């Protein structure tokens, strides 16, 4: 009996040694989750990196924007009006000085109520608010001079369209709030500034500039090194976005139509002179000019003859998003369209991976712990509509894709898989057949750079920039001006007149490098339209 007991004790000891210290169960919460996705931003409207890929594939600017904005056309509209751009929103103070860009520049005029003060680059102006008034102080050589107070202080400088008494050469106004005037950026070449009391001891600083060129020259949404067609597509979108904001009127909180992208409305990024003066800034300026139809009109994106709300973001996840799926409402031109061109290798957000710790994922769902996460609903774009977490007790909880993206700080709602599992399958990003001959879209997952136009024939649009009805004294001559897009030199244009049942050519011209033609030989027969 004693020997048997000892043998049994040994067997029990061996059995205990063979049992692992702990076995992970299927319902144990993992330490982390790996999310893979693509895109950056809301995904509505034009994809900027998609536009880049389309440009490399041979599309022109019109072809790019009419793909992303369904059912639209590109036509000239008036754009020579001023637009108000908020540069500093409800700041405690501001300071300003001017800097000459050429000899004889640097003059500045500061108007405080009835007081008009002239200064130069040696002067620094400081502004504070209180009691609904803006107080201005000039500092020169360490000496301060109180210039008085008014609800709005207006600053003009040399080299602009409306310099006031600030005569001289080209100048920039350097205006900041909390940073040093010696730091980079925050320099503005055009228009004038209103420094306004915003209530609560705060200031707004607003730059009034002409939309046609002065505003667009300062838009810093894409690199000036990008292909011309991609830059011009961005100009078309930026001009159209601004036109829609102009039509909506001035926002009372900022006394502006748009902000500079830094808040409070997250409009287009406007950096003023920094854009045009940076590396290859001349290319951006040239591409802005290339979309000008006349000195007072520019090409814009229209739906039923009206400028659209031209939303855009950095990159989709393979399809753009419908405005209804992001902000609600309905816009017929802002629907989901395939965007395979965003997969261009140059796009840093064509794919991304985020590792989320257990505690952070659980917090996103508002629970103590999460065992599994899976995409349970997708929009037609593939962006996450709903995502579901399984808890250790087997129950589930679901949140929206928007809540997940905000809680985890994701670049977009285009989550393709969680721990390798896509959940609801993703849509295939293939482009529809274009209405007119155009470059083919790359296959899903392929580089847009490998695609090439199927034909050497390029469709063009011919526009008449001059009004059809004119008023001239009898016998006076006048000219008609038009433009061909995409621009090309030496294209032949004919002006014909209907004589009986036959059209006869009475005048011809060739386009210049900007695609423009003109017929100067028209003669008025009566002083009537």
């Amino acid at each position: 009996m004693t020997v048997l007991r000892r043998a049994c004790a040994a067997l029990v000891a061996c059995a205990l040694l063979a049992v692992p210290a702990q076995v992970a169960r299927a319902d144990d919460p993992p330490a982390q989750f790996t999310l893979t996705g693509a895109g950056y931003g809301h995904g509505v409207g034009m994809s900027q990196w998609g536009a880049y890929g389309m440009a490399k594939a041979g599309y022109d600017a019109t072809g790019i924007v009419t793909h992303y904005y369904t059912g639209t056309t590109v036509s000239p509209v008036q754009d020579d009006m001023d637009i108000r751009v908020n540069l500093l929103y409800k700041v405690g103070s501001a300071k300003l000085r001017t800097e000459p860009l050429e000899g004889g520049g640097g003059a500045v005029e500061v108007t405080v109520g009835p007081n008009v003060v002239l200064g130069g680059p040696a002067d620094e102006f400081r502004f504070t608010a209180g009691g609904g008034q803006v107080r201005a102080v000039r500092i020169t050589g360490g000496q301060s001079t109180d210039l008085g107070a008014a609800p709005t202080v207006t600053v003009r400088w040399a080299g602009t369209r409306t310099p006031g008494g600030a005569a001289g050469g080209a100048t920039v106004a350097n205006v900041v709030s909390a940073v040093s005037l010696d730091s980079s950026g925050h320099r503005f070449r055009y228009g004038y500034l209103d420094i306004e009391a915003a209530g609560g001891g705060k200031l707004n600083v607003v730059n009034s500039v002409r939309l046609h060129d002065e505003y667009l020259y300062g838009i810093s949404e894409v690199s000036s090194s990008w292909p011309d067609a991609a830059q011009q597509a961005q100009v078309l979108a930026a001009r159209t976005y601004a036109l829609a904001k102009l039509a909506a009127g001035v926002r009372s909180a900022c006394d502006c139509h748009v902000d500079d992208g830094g808040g409070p409305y997250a409009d287009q990024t406007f950096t003023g002179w920094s854009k045009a003066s940076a590396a290859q800034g001349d290319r951006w300026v040239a591409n802005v000019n290339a979309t000008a139809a006349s000195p007072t009109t520019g090409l814009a994106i229209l739906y039923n003859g009206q400028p659209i709300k031209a939303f855009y973001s950095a990159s989709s996840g393979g399809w753009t998003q419908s405005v209804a799926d992001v902000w609600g409402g309905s816009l017929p031109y802002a629907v989901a369209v395939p965007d395979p061109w965003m997969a261009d290798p140059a796009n840093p957000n064509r794919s991304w991976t985020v590792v989320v710790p257990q505690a952070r994922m659980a917090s996103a769902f508002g629970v103590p712990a999460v065992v599994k996460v899976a995409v349970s609903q997708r929009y037609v774009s593939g962006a996450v509509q709903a995502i579901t977490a399984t808890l250790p007790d087997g129950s589930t909880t679901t949140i929206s894709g928007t809540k997940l993206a905000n809680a985890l700080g994701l670049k977009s709602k285009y989550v393709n898989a969680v721990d390798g599992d896509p959940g609801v399958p993703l849509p295939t990003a293939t482009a529809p057949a274009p209405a007119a001959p155009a470059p083919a879209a790359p296959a899903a997952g392929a580089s847009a750079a490998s695609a090439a136009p199927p034909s050497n024939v390029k469709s063009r649009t011919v526009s008449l920039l001059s009004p059809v009805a004119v008023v001239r004294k009898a016998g006076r001559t006048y000219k008609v001006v038009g433009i061909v897009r995409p621009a090309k030199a030496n294209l032949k244009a004919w002006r014909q007149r209907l004589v009986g049942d036959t059209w006869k050519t009475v005048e011809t011209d060739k386009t210049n490098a900007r695609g423009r033609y003109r017929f100067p030989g028209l003669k008025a027969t009566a002083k009537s339209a």
Side-chain angles (χ1 to χ4, degrees):
M1 290 293 293
T2 302
V3 174
L4 180 59
R5 286 174 179 167
R6 288 177 180 172
C8 288
L11 288 172
V12 171
C14 290
L16 289 173
L17 289 172
V19 175
Q22 185 176 357
V23 177
R25 300 179 312 190
D27 58 356
D28 282 343
Q32 61 189 31
F33 300 85
T34 300
L35 278 61
T36 55
Y40 190 99
H42 53 66
V44 179
M46 187 177 73
S47 158
Q48 291 169 314
W49 276 104
Y52 174 91
M54 289 186 77
K56 287 176 64 178
Y59 284 80
D60 64 14
T62 296
I64 292 170
V65 297
T66 53
H67 169 72
Y68 288 111
Y69 304 108
T70 301
T72 60
T73 58
V74 174
S75 298
V77 298
Q78 183 181 358
D79 69 344
D80 63 337
M81 60 287 284
D82 279 6
I83 186 169
R84 294 180 63 79
V85 187
N86 182 271
L87 305 180
L88 297 173
Y89 180 72
K90 293 188 176 179
V91 295
S93 63
K95 50 191 174 183
L96 176 146
R97 75 177 179 218
T98 56
E99 299 169 2
L101 295 177
E102 60 186 24
V108 60
E109 176 192 89
V110 178
T111 301
V112 187
N115 300 323
V116 179
V117 178
L118 295 178
D123 299 310
E124 180 180 316
F125 296 87
R126 296 185 180 179
F127 309 95
T128 54
Q133 301 280 303
V134 176
R135 181 158 299 280
V137 174
R138 177 170 62 181
I139 302 174
T140 308
Q143 299 296 314
S144 297
T145 304
D146 188 348
L147 304 180
T152 298
V153 173
T154 300
V155 180
R156 302 179 186 274
W157 55 95
T160 61
R161 288 181 292 121
T162 58
T171 301
V172 292
N174 179 356
V175 59
V176 299
S177 175
V179 301
S180 169
L181 285 166
D182 293 326
S183 59
S184 60
H186 47 77
R187 287 162 173 83
F188 303 93
R189 169 71 179 84
Y190 303 107
Y192 62 90
L193 298 177
D194 283 330
I195 301 168
E196 305 170 339
K202 302 294 184 180
L203 298 171
N204 284 330
V205 178
V206 181
N207 188 195
S208 287
V209 285
R210 185 169 55 201
L211 169 56
H212 179 80
D213 44 11
E214 296 173 352
Y215 175 65
L216 293 174
Y217 287 164
I219 293 294
S220 297
E221 285 286 347
V222 299
S223 171
S224 299
S225 67
W226 279 19
D228 288 341
Q231 291 191 55
Q232 289 171 23
Q234 179 61 63
V235 176
L236 296 181
R239 176 184 286 117
T240 309
Y241 182 98
L243 286 167
K245 292 300 182 183
L246 270 168
V250 171
R251 292 154 157 160
S252 59
C254 62
D255 192 27
C256 69
H257 296 103
V258 292
D259 66 23
D260 63 353
Y265 305 107
D267 290 314
Q268 307 185 107
T269 302
F270 175 78
T271 60
W273 183 242
S274 298
K275 178 64 172 177
S277 61
Q280 300 191 57
D282 56 336
R283 288 193 61 225
W284 173 254
V285 169
N287 280 308
V288 171
N289 294 340
T291 69
S294 77
T296 59
T297 61
L299 298 177
I301 309 163
L302 310 181
Y303 187 86
N304 286 342
Q306 296 299 315
I308 68 170
K309 295 179 179 179
F311 302 115
Y312 55 87
S313 61
S315 175
S316 76
W319 280 70
T320 66
Q321 287 217 78
S322 165
V323 69
D325 294 339
V326 177
W327 301 303
S330 177
L331 295 173
Y333 49 80
V335 296
V337 299
D339 183 26
W341 299 276
M342 58 70 60
D344 189 277
N347 180 4
N349 295 304
R350 67 187 182 279
S351 65
W352 44 256
T353 299
V354 176
V355 177
V356 182
Q358 167 66 221
R360 192 174 183 193
M361 184 66 80
S363 176
F365 284 90
V367 297
V370 173
V371 173
K372 182 181 178 182
V373 175
V375 177
S376 49
Q377 285 182 282
R378 292 188 187 276
Y379 293 111
V380 66
S381 63
V384 176
Q385 183 175 3
I387 190 161
T388 299
T390 302
L391 281 57
D393 63 2
S395 63
T396 61
T397 183
T398 299
I399 62 174
S400 69
T402 299
K403 185 173 182 179
L404 180 82
N406 291 340
L408 301 183
L410 302 180
K411 292 182 177 182
S412 75
K413 292 190 294 183
Y414 295 97
V415 177
N416 296 338
V418 182
D419 291 331
D421 179 9
V424 175
L426 290 159
T428 302
T430 56
S447 167
S450 62
S455 168
N456 290 327
V457 177
K458 179 176 285 189
S459 62
R460 298 183 188 275
T461 60
V462 181
S463 303
L464 188 65
L465 304 181
S466 302
V468 175
V470 295
V471 178
R472 289 288 188 275
K473 288 184 178 180
R476 292 274 183 95
T477 59
Y478 61 96
K479 66 182 177 181
V480 169
V481 178
I483 191 166
V484 177
R485 291 295 185 200
K488 184 178 179 181
N490 296 317
L491 295 175
K492 194 170 184 179
W494 296 266
R495 182 173 70 85
Q496 296 182 326
R497 177 179 295 145
L498 185 62
V499 180
D501 296 327
T502 305
W503 285 98
K504 293 188 176 182
T505 299
V506 295
E507 202 170 3
T508 63
D509 190 30
K510 289 186 177 181
T511 57
N512 62 18
R514 296 179 63 185
R516 299 195 179 196
Y517 62 89
R518 67 175 186 167
F519 300 123
L522 280 75
K523 183 173 291 188
T525 57
K527 188 180 179 182
S528 61

